[in-house]
Amino acid sequence: MMKIDTATSTPLDRRDDRLLRFPEVHNRTGLSESTIRRREARGTFPGRVALGPRLVGWYESDVVAWVRDPIGYQAGKPALA
């Protein structure tokens, strides 16, 4: 399923967007895995992407958007520049 930029209703091009594994997400955010899961469930942290049966990652641009505004971040809403 392709993500859509809700501001412009156009598909987001993720081809150049890196996928980050948990250790990198943890280093950038300081959040534990359980905190990330809770925030994902509430929509206040970017959702993970399944890369395999037991392998997940997060799009770097989504994590950067969260780091820029952790209080105001809402999954699925466009990031403010």
Side-chain angles (χ1 to χ4, degrees):
M1 183 168 103
M2 182 171 285
K3 289 205 171 208
I4 303 294
D5 181 343
T6 56
T8 63
S9 298
T10 58
L12 292 176
D13 185 357
R14 298 284 198 172
R15 288 179 288 190
D16 293 329
D17 205 353
R18 288 182 54 217
L19 284 165
L20 307 177
R21 300 288 311 281
F22 173 74
E24 180 69 20
V25 174
H26 172 70
N27 286 338
R28 291 183 184 208
T29 65
L31 300 178
S32 68
E33 189 170 358
S34 59
T35 299
I36 288 173
R37 285 183 184 276
R38 279 195 304 274
R39 287 177 174 260
E40 282 176 317
R42 289 191 303 230
T44 59
F45 194 81
R48 61 189 67 209
V49 177
L51 303 174
R54 295 178 45 145
L55 184 65
V56 298
W58 289 262
Y59 284 112
E60 183 176 33
S61 61
D62 292 344
V63 174
V64 167
W66 184 89
V67 168
R68 286 184 183 153
D69 186 15
I71 302 298
Y73 181 88
Q74 290 293 312
K77 291 191 179 178
L80 299 176

